[in-house]
Amino acid sequence: MINLVWCPSEEHTASEEASLRALESLMTEFFHNCTTNERKREIEELLNNFAQQIGAWRFCLYFLSSTRNDYVMMYSLTVFENLINKMWLGVPSQDKMEIRSCLPKLLLAHHKTLPYFIRNKLCKVIVDIGRQDWPMFYHDFFTNILQLIQSPVTTPLGLIMLKTTSEELACPREDLSVARKEELRKLLLDQVQTVLGLLTGILESIWDKHSVTAATPPPSPTSGESGDLLSSLLQSPNAAKLLNQPIPILDTESEYICSLALECLAHLFSWIPLSTSITPSLLTTIFHFARFGCDTRVRKMCSVNGSSQNSVLGQERGRLGVLAMSCINELMSKNCVPMEFEEYLLRMFQQTFYLLQKITKENNAHTVKSRLEELDERVLCWGRQAESYIEKFTDFLRLFVSVHLRRIESYSQFPVVEFLALLFKYTFHQPTHEGYFSCLDIWTLFLDYLTSKIKSRLADKEAVLNRYEDALVLLLTEVLNRIQFRYNQAQLEELDDETLDDDQTEWQRYLRQSLEVVAKVMELLPTHAFSTLFPVLQDNLEVYLGLQQFVVTSGTGHRLNITAENDCRRLHCSLRDLSSLLQAVGRLAEYFIGDVFAARFNDALTVVERLVKVTLYGSQIKLYNIETAVPSVLKPDLIDVHAQSLAALQAYAHWLAQFYSEVHRQNPEQFISLVSTALEAITPLISSKVQEKLLLSACHLLVSLATTVRPVFLISIPAVQKVFNRITDTSAQRLPDKAQVLVCRALSNVLLLPWPNLPESEQQWAVRSTNHASLISALTREYRQLKSNAILPQRKVQLEDKILLLWVCKGHSHPRLPVSSSIKVLSSSVVQGSQSDHPSDTQRFRRYCRKYLWRIYQVSTDLLSVAARIRADVTDEMLSFFLTLFQGLRVQMGVPFTEQIIQTFLNMFTREQLAESILHEGSTGCRVVEKFLKILQVVVQEPGQVFKPFLPSVISLCMEQVYPIIAERSSPDVKAELFELLFRVLHHNWRYFFKSSVLASVQRGVAEEQMENEAQFSAIMQAFGQSFLQPDIHLFKQNLFYLETLNTKQKLYHKKIFRTTMLFQFVNVLLQVLVHKSHDLLQEEIGIATYNMASVDFDGFYSAFLPEFLASCDGVDSNQKNVLGRNFKMDRDLPSFTQNVHRLVNDLRYYRLCNDSLPPGTVKL
C-alpha cells in the first residue's frame, strides 16, 4: 500500500520526493487499462483525502515544479483550484501571499515547455485568485497581464491570461457575491480602452511588419477587383486601395499571436458595450484579417509541395479569417446601437460587403461555387475549429438583415440593391444543403422586412416595390428552378426523402422552405409571381396529361407503354417537378381571396380549372393503378402527382366559397361545373382498394367542399349520393379508420351546416335533420345492437366477449368495427357540429343531436362499465367519446343524464381501481384516468347552477382518492390533469368558497367576503404548495401559472385566509426553490410570483417575513444574515424587488459556500 500523507516539518524535502513518487505511481495505476473499478475508487478516495489536508497545496507546488507527469500536474492544479474556489476564505493570509507569488513565477518559468492544457489550467487557477483578491490583495494582477502582453517574449502567454480573465471575471459564476460581481465588471470596464489599444497595436504591427517585408507576391487572380461596386460601397478610393493590398504571408509565431488576439477580441465584444473605445482603426484591422478567410491565393501558396507544415499554415490562416468574422458577428449581434456608433457600423457593413464581393467574384481560376466549396472545405480538417468561414459569413448576413437593415437602408452611401445582387450569387452557389437553407432563411427575413415596411408605408408602396422588383423576380425564378429536377437534378437527388427529422424529411424541408420564399414574393408581386409559375406548371401538366396515349391494355390490366431507361428517367423527373409545382400553386391560394378576389379572378379561375381537369383525368384513367416499367419509382410518382393535385384543389376551397357567394344569384353554371367535376374526380377514389395517400387526399378535399364551400346543390349531385350509399352499405368493404371518419364528417356537414347565401326559410332543415338521423342510424346500427346484450345480467359474459372480439379485430379483415370506429365517427360528428362559427347553427345541431343520439348515449353508458373491466384501451376510446360529448353537448344532455354518467364514472373509478390504473406508469390506465379528469374539467367550468351539485363529489374524488395516490410519486402521470381540474374548480366556482353580495361590498364594516368550504379550499392550496417541492419543472410552471391567474382574476393572494395563513408559506417555498436551484429555468416566473405575493403585504414582508426567513437559514452566521437583510432594499416596484430577490439568493448561496470552506474550529468575529 502506497502511503500518501503530508507530514508537516521544517525539513520535508525527502517527504515531498517520496509523496511525488507515490502520486506518480498512483496516477499511472489509476489510468492503466488493467486497474479494476474497485481499485480506482480506492485511489480516488485516497487522492480526495490528501487534497483535503491543510497545507496539501505545498506538496502540490513541489509536484508542479518537479514532475513531468501530465496526470500529476493536472491533479495538483485541481487541488489548487478546489482550494481557491471553495476554501480560500479559510487560508491564512501568509499562505495566500505565497501562493499568489509562486504560481505566476511557476507559469513564467515553464509556460513554453508545459503542455498547452496544463498551461491553460495554470492560467485559470491564477485568474481564479484574481477573481477573489484583485485589486485589494492582488493589486498587480491585471498590471502583470498587461506587462506580459507588452513583452514580445511573453505576448502569447499574456493574451491567454487576458482571454481567461475576460471569461472568468466578466460573467463570473455564482460563487461570488453580487457586489463582488459588480465590482469586477466595473474594474474590467475601466481597463477596456487600454486592452483594446494593446490588441489593436499587436494586430496592426504584425500586419504592417509582414506587409512591408513580404516578397512580391505572384499575380493575384483577384487583383483589380475594386470596380464600380467596391467604389460605391466604400465611397473612398483610398479605402478600396487599402483593402486590395496583397495579404501578407505570416510566420507561424505571428499567426499564433494574431489568433490569440482575435479570440480575446471576440470574447471582449461579447460583453462590452458598443462605444468609441472600439475605434475605426481596430475595425479596419479586424477586416484585414477577415480577408484571410476568403483569399484562396494564401491557401495555394501554403500548400506548395504538399508538406504537412504548409498545410497547417493554411489551416491557421483560414482560422484567422474565421476568428475575425467571429469578432464582427459579436458586434453585429448587438441591437442597441448608440448614435455615435452608427457611422462605425456603416463602415463595417461597407467593408464586409467588399469581402462578399471577393467571395462571389467570378474569374478564370475559380467559379463562385468552387471558391465557396474551397472556403467551406478548409475547416473540415481543423481539430480546434468547428465552423467554416462560409458559416461565419452566413451568420453575418443573417444578423445584418435581421438586426441592422432597417437602420442602414436609409443611408444613401449603402447600395442595398447591389447588396441583394451579391446575396443572390452567394445563395445560389452554396456548396451544401445546410448553407442553402441558411441563405433561404436570410431571404425570408428580408421579405418579411419588406412586407412590414410596405404595410406601414402604403403611400410609398409602388416606389419601394419598383426598387426591389428585379431582385425579387430573379429570386423567385431561381428558387423555382432549384426545386425542379429539370434544372437541379444532381442536387435534388442527394436529398433524403425517407428519414424523418422533426416530422419532415430533408426533401420536404427543402421544398417547404423554398415554397415559403415563393409565397412571400407572391404576396409582394402577385402578377409577376403568377406569370412566372403558371407557364412552368403548364409545361409539366402537358407531359402528365399526354400519358393517356401511352396507356395500353395488357392481360393483367392497363400498362404504361414507356420502357426505355432514358424515357423513364425523364418521366420520373417531370412527375417529381409537377408534384412540387402543384404544391407551389396550392401554397399561393391565399393570395387570390379577400379584397383581391375580383382583381385576380381570372388567374385563379385558370388555375382551378386546370386542377379540376387534372384530378378528373387521374381518376378516370386510374394512373395510380397502372403497371409501369419501373414500378418502384414511377408508380409512387403517379400516386403523388394525383394526391398533390387533389391537395392543391383543396387549397382553393376558400376561393370557391367566395366565387359561390359572388355568382349564386346569376350565371352559376361555371361554378356548378367546377364543383360537380371535382366530385366526379373524388368519388372513384373513395374505396378501400385505393392507396391510403390518395384516398386521404380525396377525403380531405371532400370535407373542404362540404364544410367550406357547401353549395345548396351538393347533396343532389349523383357523385355525393354515391358516397352516401357507399358509406352506409353494411356489405361494402370498410374504409380505413381515418378515411371513414373524414367521409362521415363530410356527409354530416352536408346535412348539418347552413347553405350560404340563403335565408333561414329556404334551408330545408326538417328534411336535412331526418336525413342526418338516418345517416347516424345507419353508421351506428351494429354498435347500438350491443345494447340488447347489456340488458340481461346473465349475458354480460357474452357481451364482454363480443366487445373484446370487436376490438381485437381492429386492423384485420373484420368488415365492421362498431366499438372503435363508431365512436370515432360520432366524436367527429359532435366536434364538427358543435364548433360552427354561427351560434344559431350550433344550437340547431345540438337540438338534432339530442333527438337521435339519445339511444347511443345509453348504449355507451351501459358498455362503459363492462368495457372498463376487460380492456383499458376500449375504455380509453369510449372516454374520448364522452369527453367530446361533454365538450359539445353538456347542456343538451341535461342534468339527469349527466348525473347518470358521472355516477357511472364514480362507481367505476374506485380508489382501488384508480390506484391500479395510476401505478402502472405511462400505461393506458393512466390515460383513462386523465380522460376522466378532463371530463370533470368540462363539467366544473360550466356557468350557471346546472352542474354545481357535482362540485362536492368532484372535490372529494380529487382530494381523497386521486391526490393521495399521486402526491408522493415522481411520475408526472395524471398530475397535470388533476391540478388543472382543481384550478378549474377554483376559477369557475369561486363563489362556492367565497360568498359575495352587493350589500357586503358596499358596507364599510364588512371588509372580507364570507368564507365557505374552508377545509376543501385549504386542502387544495396545500396540494398546490406541495407540488412546488417536487422536481417536475413542467408541473411547477403550470401550477405557478394557475396561482398567478387566480390572483389576477380573483385576487387570491388578497383573500384573508390566504393572506393570514398561506401567503408567506408560499413565498418561503418559492425562495427555497431559488436557493436550491432546482428549477432555475423558471427564475423569472418565480421572481414575479414572489413579488405579487409580497406586494399584498409589503410591510409584513419586510418587517416580519424577511427577518424570520433569514433567521431560519442554515449555514450562515448572524453577521452575514444582517448583511443579507441590509442589502435587500425596501423597494416596492417589480424590477427592483426581483433584482433584490435574486441578489439575496445569490449572496446566501455564496456565504454558505464561504462558510463551508472554513477549517473546523475557525472563530468568526
Side-chain angles (χ1 to χ4, degrees):
M1 180 67 182
I2 298 173
N3 187 27
L4 184 63
V5 180
W6 178 57
C7 306
S9 64
E10 291 298 323
E11 301 293 336
H12 54 268
T13 305
S15 173
E16 289 172 337
E17 183 65 25
S19 295
L20 175 57
R21 299 293 162 251
L23 180 58
E24 288 176 341
S25 176
L26 282 173
M27 298 305 277
T28 302
E29 181 185 1
F30 184 87
F31 288 102
H32 196 277
N33 292 336
C34 298
T35 306
T36 64
N37 288 335
E38 183 178 356
R39 177 58 181 153
K40 285 186 176 183
R41 282 192 293 271
E42 290 176 4
I43 296 172
E44 192 172 7
E45 184 178 357
L46 184 63
L47 295 175
N48 288 337
N49 291 337
F50 174 78
Q52 297 300 319
Q53 294 181 102
I54 299 173
W57 64 269
R58 293 186 182 278
F59 272 70
C60 291
L61 198 59
Y62 174 78
F63 299 158
L64 286 170
S65 61
S66 305
T67 187
R68 287 295 170 262
N69 186 306
D70 292 349
Y71 298 135
V72 171
M73 286 191 284
M74 187 59 78
Y75 168 73
S76 301
L77 289 173
T78 303
V79 172
F80 271 110
E81 191 174 43
N82 185 66
L83 176 76
I84 294 161
N85 291 328
K86 296 183 179 179
M87 304 162 64
W88 195 243
L89 196 64
V91 176
S93 58
Q94 192 64 35
D95 289 0
K96 290 181 182 180
M97 289 178 61
E98 190 173 347
I99 293 170
R100 285 195 295 262
S101 172
C102 292
L103 288 182
K105 289 177 182 177
L106 185 70
L107 177 64
L108 204 56
H110 299 287
H111 71 95
K112 290 188 176 180
T113 58
L114 289 172
Y116 76 91
F117 56 90
I118 300 293
R119 178 203 63 202
N120 291 351
K121 183 81 167 179
L122 181 51
C123 290
K124 162 74 165 51
V125 168
I126 295 170
V127 170
D128 283 343
I129 298 174
R131 196 161 56 94
Q132 300 283 351
D133 291 355
W134 177 56
M136 183 66 71
F137 304 107
Y138 195 178
H139 60 88
D140 56 352
F141 164 70
F142 206 85
T143 307
N144 290 344
I145 294 175
L146 297 179
Q147 289 173 351
L148 288 174
I149 294 173
Q150 290 169 306
S151 172
V153 180
T154 57
T155 297
L157 180 62
L159 292 172
I160 293 169
M161 287 289 292
L162 176 62
K163 184 188 174 200
T164 308
T165 300
S166 177
E167 291 170 343
E168 298 297 323
L169 271 63
C171 303
R173 298 183 303 274
E174 62 174 22
D175 53 354
L176 293 177
S177 68
V178 171
R180 177 60 177 162
K181 290 179 182 180
E182 293 171 351
E183 181 188 18
L184 285 174
R185 194 173 186 86
K186 184 177 183 302
L187 288 167
L188 285 178
L189 283 172
D190 291 341
Q191 301 291 335
V192 162
Q193 192 162 357
T194 303
V195 167
L196 293 182
L198 272 178
L199 295 175
T200 305
I202 290 171
L203 294 171
E204 283 182 342
S205 63
I206 291 177
W207 182 276
D208 293 342
K209 173 186 172 184
H210 291 80
S211 295
V212 171
T213 60
T216 303
S220 168
T222 58
S223 60
E225 283 185 358
S226 54
D228 294 336
L229 177 57
L230 181 56
S231 299
S232 64
L233 281 171
L234 296 177
Q235 298 289 310
S236 166
N238 291 333
K241 183 179 179 182
L242 191 64
L243 283 173
N244 265 318
Q245 289 179 348
I247 296 178
I249 305 300
L250 308 183
D251 59 77
T252 306
E253 180 69 15
S254 296
E255 286 188 353
Y256 180 53
I257 291 173
C258 289
S259 68
L260 290 174
L262 290 169
E263 284 180 354
C264 287
L265 283 171
H267 196 274
L268 288 167
F269 289 163
S270 71
W271 62 269
I272 65 175
L274 295 179
S275 69
T276 51
S277 298
I278 304 172
T279 62
S281 175
L282 174 57
L283 295 177
T284 301
T285 302
I286 291 172
F287 278 101
H288 280 318
F289 283 93
R291 291 169 59 201
F292 276 106
C294 62
D295 196 285
T296 53
R297 178 182 63 84
V298 174
R299 173 185 171 87
K300 287 184 175 179
M301 292 187 67
C302 291
S303 58
V304 174
N305 300 325
S307 70
S308 59
Q309 181 181 359
N310 284 327
S311 176
V312 172
L313 286 174
Q315 294 168 19
E316 285 300 322
R317 287 176 172 82
R319 177 174 168 77
L320 291 178
V322 172
L323 290 171
M325 286 305 302
S326 295
C327 295
I328 295 167
N329 288 348
E330 286 293 349
L331 294 175
M332 290 302 94
S333 64
K334 300 180 187 295
N335 198 1
C336 182
V337 180
M339 286 292 293
E340 64 271 15
F341 200 79
E342 287 202 358
E343 186 180 344
Y344 291 8
L345 271 182
L346 178 60
R347 185 176 292 127
M348 289 175 66
F349 295 138
Q350 290 169 336
Q351 293 176 332
T352 310
F353 295 129
Y354 160 71
L355 299 179
L356 179 58
Q357 188 203 17
K358 283 180 68 69
I359 291 174
T360 55
K361 181 75 173 180
E362 293 193 51
N363 52 52
N364 295 332
H366 283 88
T367 63
V368 178
K369 187 165 186 175
S370 69
R371 181 182 289 109
L372 292 179
E373 284 175 347
E374 193 169 342
L375 298 178
D376 206 42
E377 285 174 1
R378 177 182 297 165
V379 76
L380 298 179
C381 55
W382 293 7
R384 292 181 295 163
Q385 185 64 38
E387 293 181 285
S388 73
Y389 188 78
I390 294 301
E391 288 171 337
K392 286 292 184 183
F393 211 96
T394 303
D395 287 343
F396 167 82
L397 294 171
R398 189 187 69 255
L399 289 167
F400 169 72
V401 172
S402 62
V403 180
H404 299 288
L405 181 61
R406 57 184 170 77
R407 62 166 58 92
I408 293 299
E409 190 192 14
S410 59
Y411 281 82
S412 59
Q413 306 99 305
F414 189 82
V416 178
V417 176
E418 288 84 349
F419 156 65
L420 292 178
L422 292 177
L423 178 59
F424 180 88
K425 290 174 68 176
Y426 183 81
T427 299
F428 294 106
H429 289 94
Q430 282 295 311
T432 65
H433 297 312
E434 285 301 324
Y436 181 63
F437 290 153
S438 298
C439 289
L440 286 185
D441 286 339
I442 295 171
W443 282 105
T444 300
L445 290 168
F446 172 73
L447 294 169
D448 287 340
Y449 162 75
L450 205 54
T451 302
S452 62
K453 178 179 179 179
I454 288 172
K455 287 179 179 177
S456 63
R457 293 167 51 183
L458 290 176
D460 300 334
K461 178 179 179 179
E462 292 305 319
V464 173
L465 284 177
N466 289 337
R467 184 181 186 189
Y468 295 112
E469 181 178 310
D470 292 343
L472 295 181
V473 171
L474 268 177
L475 173 67
L476 173 69
T477 304
E478 190 60 32
V479 170
L480 285 175
N481 288 345
R482 286 306 177 101
I483 65 172
Q484 295 180 69
F485 282 78
R486 178 179 179 182
Y487 300 104
N488 194 29
Q489 182 175 353
Q491 188 179 28
L492 294 179
E493 285 183 340
E494 294 174 3
L495 294 169
D496 179 5
D497 197 20
E498 294 181 0
T499 308
L500 287 176
D501 183 17
D502 289 336
D503 295 328
Q504 60 181 351
T505 64
E506 189 179 31
W507 161 255
Q508 290 169 340
R509 178 188 173 196
Y510 183 95
L511 188 60
R512 180 184 58 78
Q513 286 194 242
S514 300
L515 296 185
E516 282 306 304
V517 173
V518 172
K520 289 179 185 297
V521 176
M522 175 75 180
E523 185 175 4
L524 293 165
L525 299 172
T527 304
H528 287 84
F530 182 78
S531 62
T532 302
L533 173 60
F534 191 73
V536 184
L537 173 69
Q538 186 77 350
D539 290 345
N540 286 276
L541 280 175
E542 293 304 324
V543 174
Y544 179 65
L545 294 171
L547 291 178
Q548 187 170 9
Q549 61 186 303
F550 297 101
V551 176
V552 297
T553 303
S554 63
T556 56
H558 292 85
R559 180 169 55 84
L560 189 64
N561 193 26
I562 297 176
T563 56
E565 182 180 348
N566 191 47
D567 290 341
C568 289
R569 184 181 295 112
R570 289 169 56 199
L571 178 58
H572 165 66
C573 292
S574 179
L575 292 174
R576 289 291 300 270
D577 289 348
L578 179 55
S579 175
S580 300
L581 293 166
L582 286 168
Q583 291 180 62
V585 167
R587 177 63 184 83
L588 303 183
E590 63 181 286
Y591 303 113
F592 292 104
I593 58 176
D595 296 339
V596 299
F597 175 81
R600 300 177 191 169
F601 174 79
N602 289 330
D603 288 343
L605 180 61
T606 304
V607 171
V608 173
E609 286 178 337
R610 295 299 284 170
L611 291 176
V612 168
K613 179 180 179 181
V614 170
T615 54
L616 181 62
Y617 164 83
S619 297
Q620 284 179 336
I621 68 171
K622 299 184 178 179
L623 285 174
Y624 53 89
N625 273 338
I626 212 159
E627 294 179 14
T628 65
V630 194
S632 62
V633 176
L634 292 181
K635 189 164 185 177
D637 289 342
L638 291 166
I639 292 170
D640 191 51
V641 166
H642 200 169
Q644 295 299 345
S645 65
L646 292 163
L649 183 55
Q650 182 195 355
Y652 284 83
H654 287 282
W655 182 87
L656 284 169
Q658 192 165 356
F659 185 19
Y660 183 44
S661 67
E662 300 284 340
V663 301
H664 73 283
R665 291 295 186 188
Q666 57 203 7
N667 194 26
E669 289 77 14
Q670 192 176 35
F671 172 80
I672 294 173
S673 174
L674 286 175
V675 174
S676 301
T677 309
L679 286 164
E680 286 179 36
I682 293 171
T683 308
L685 304 176
I686 308 295
S687 167
S688 57
K689 297 178 182 179
V690 174
Q691 294 85 353
E692 186 173 12
K693 181 176 185 177
L694 192 52
L695 169 61
L696 291 177
S697 291
C699 292
H700 281 294
L701 175 55
L702 180 62
V703 170
S704 292
L705 292 174
T707 307
T708 305
V709 187
R710 57 179 194 279
V712 65
F713 58 83
L714 196 62
I715 195 171
S716 60
I717 294 177
V720 176
Q721 294 287 344
K722 188 174 180 181
V723 175
F724 265 102
N725 296 333
R726 165 73 177 76
I727 210 71
T728 55
D729 183 3
T730 56
S731 63
Q733 189 169 4
R734 186 174 190 78
L735 297 174
D737 272 1
K738 286 183 180 178
Q740 182 83 3
V741 169
L742 288 171
V743 173
C744 292
R745 179 186 301 171
L747 299 180
S748 179
N749 289 347
V750 168
L751 296 170
L752 283 179
L753 297 181
W755 294 321
N757 315 309
L758 285 181
E760 186 74 10
S761 58
E762 299 179 27
Q763 293 286 345
Q764 302 178 23
W765 287 122
V767 176
R768 294 167 70 185
S769 171
T770 303
N771 291 338
H772 190 259
S774 301
L775 172 67
I776 296 296
S777 177
L779 291 173
T780 60
R781 184 177 298 112
E782 292 189 32
Y783 181 69
R784 288 180 289 108
Q785 286 173 356
L786 294 173
K787 170 70 175 176
S788 59
N789 291 327
I791 295 174
L792 302 175
Q794 64 268 29
R795 299 188 65 181
K796 278 189 176 179
V797 175
Q798 291 106 317
L799 176 60
E800 292 178 2
D801 290 343
K802 188 168 184 180
I803 293 176
L804 188 59
L805 174 65
L806 291 168
W807 197 262
V808 170
C809 287
K810 181 181 180 182
H812 299 281
S813 59
H814 197 280
R816 306 297 289 179
L817 306 170
V819 175
S820 167
S821 193
S822 295
I823 288 175
K824 290 180 179 177
V825 170
L826 289 170
S827 297
S828 174
S829 177
V830 172
V831 169
Q832 285 296 112
S834 60
Q835 292 181 348
S836 171
D837 294 334
H838 304 284
S840 59
D841 303 339
T842 303
Q843 293 301 322
R844 183 185 309 107
F845 166 78
R846 288 169 172 169
R847 287 198 305 271
Y848 296 158
C849 279
R850 181 172 175 81
K851 294 179 183 177
Y852 55 73
L853 289 181
W854 177 254
R855 191 177 176 193
I856 296 170
Y857 298 159
Q858 293 178 312
V859 175
S860 302
T861 308
D862 293 335
L863 293 181
L864 184 60
S865 57
V866 180
R869 293 195 296 274
I870 56 172
R871 287 297 294 260
D873 46 2
V874 178
T875 310
D876 183 34
E877 199 74 65
M878 296 188 74
L879 280 175
S880 297
F881 171 56
F882 277 108
L883 176 59
T884 306
L885 287 181
F886 273 89
Q887 289 170 335
L889 302 170
R890 55 189 174 276
V891 175
Q892 283 69 27
M893 288 191 300
V895 175
F897 182 63
T898 303
E899 191 170 11
Q900 178 189 343
I901 295 178
I902 297 295
Q903 194 58 51
T904 301
F905 290 157
L906 294 175
N907 294 338
M908 198 172 75
F909 292 106
T910 61
R911 180 156 188 170
E912 293 75 19
Q913 181 71 37
L914 286 167
E916 184 180 345
S917 299
I918 294 172
L919 293 176
H920 292 85
E921 188 172 325
S923 65
T924 307
C926 284
R927 293 200 303 273
V928 167
V929 176
E930 289 170 353
K931 292 271 177 63
F932 173 45
L933 295 177
K934 285 181 180 292
I935 290 173
L936 295 180
Q937 289 169 19
V938 175
V939 171
V940 299
Q941 61 185 311
E942 180 64 27
Q945 299 300 312
V946 177
F947 297 122
K948 299 306 178 190
F950 297 118
L951 273 180
S953 300
V954 171
I955 296 173
S956 174
L957 175 82
C958 292
M959 301 312 301
E960 296 174 17
Q961 297 192 56
V962 180
Y963 180 69
I965 299 172
I966 67 168
E968 301 304 324
R969 299 184 73 234
S970 59
S971 169
D973 292 337
V974 182
K975 288 182 181 177
E977 283 70 22
L978 175 66
F979 280 102
E980 182 176 355
L981 174 55
L982 293 175
F983 165 69
R984 301 290 175 197
V985 167
L986 292 168
H987 185 43
H988 297 280
N989 302 278
W990 195 248
R991 293 186 62 187
Y992 178 77
F993 302 101
F994 298 95
K995 291 290 184 184
S996 61
S997 65
V998 177
L999 181 62
S1001 63
V1002 298
Q1003 286 179 340
R1004 295 182 180 179
V1006 181
E1008 294 293 337
E1009 294 173 327
Q1010 182 182 349
M1011 181 79 193
E1012 293 190 358
N1013 302 299
E1014 183 175 332
Q1016 291 180 326
F1017 179 83
S1018 298
I1020 293 172
M1021 286 295 107
Q1022 185 177 0
F1024 272 95
Q1026 287 293 324
S1027 72
F1028 294 142
L1029 301 176
Q1030 297 181 357
D1032 186 347
I1033 191 169
H1034 300 291
L1035 185 67
F1036 189 106
K1037 183 177 183 179
Q1038 169 191 287
N1039 287 357
L1040 192 62
F1041 170 76
Y1042 287 158
L1043 289 185
E1044 288 286 273
T1045 303
L1046 289 172
N1047 183 55
T1048 302
K1049 303 290 186 182
Q1050 312 287 0
K1051 298 294 182 185
L1052 169 66
Y1053 305 156
H1054 297 260
K1055 299 304 176 187
K1056 182 178 180 181
I1057 184 173
F1058 190 92
R1059 193 175 67 247
T1060 56
T1061 63
M1062 305 175 192
L1063 180 66
F1064 291 131
Q1065 291 181 29
F1066 274 95
V1067 175
N1068 183 65
V1069 168
L1070 294 180
L1071 289 179
Q1072 293 293 353
V1073 167
L1074 289 174
V1075 170
H1076 290 98
K1077 298 192 69 174
S1078 56
H1079 298 77
D1080 253 13
L1081 292 175
L1082 302 177
Q1083 279 188 21
E1084 184 178 352
E1085 292 90 338
I1086 294 172
I1088 293 172
T1090 304
Y1091 170 80
N1092 289 333
M1093 291 181 186
S1095 63
V1096 173
D1097 185 9
F1098 269 133
D1099 293 337
F1101 176 83
Y1102 286 116
S1103 64
F1105 170 76
L1106 192 56
E1108 289 177 11
F1109 174 79
L1110 292 173
S1112 67
C1113 288
D1114 299 325
V1116 287
D1117 60 37
S1118 57
N1119 180 55
Q1120 291 166 335
K1121 292 176 181 178
N1122 290 334
V1123 173
L1124 291 171
R1126 286 198 302 272
N1127 286 342
F1128 202 113
K1129 307 301 181 187
M1130 298 178 67
D1131 298 307
R1132 300 196 174 202
D1133 62 286
L1134 175 61
S1136 301
F1137 183 89
T1138 53
Q1139 187 176 4
N1140 287 332
V1141 166
H1142 295 307
R1143 182 187 189 115
L1144 169 70
V1145 169
N1146 180 92
D1147 290 357
L1148 176 57
R1149 292 178 57 81
Y1150 167 67
Y1151 285 144
R1152 284 177 172 172
L1153 183 65
C1154 290
N1155 295 340
D1156 289 342
S1157 71
L1158 294 173
T1162 301
V1163 177
K1164 290 176 284 187
L1165 300 176

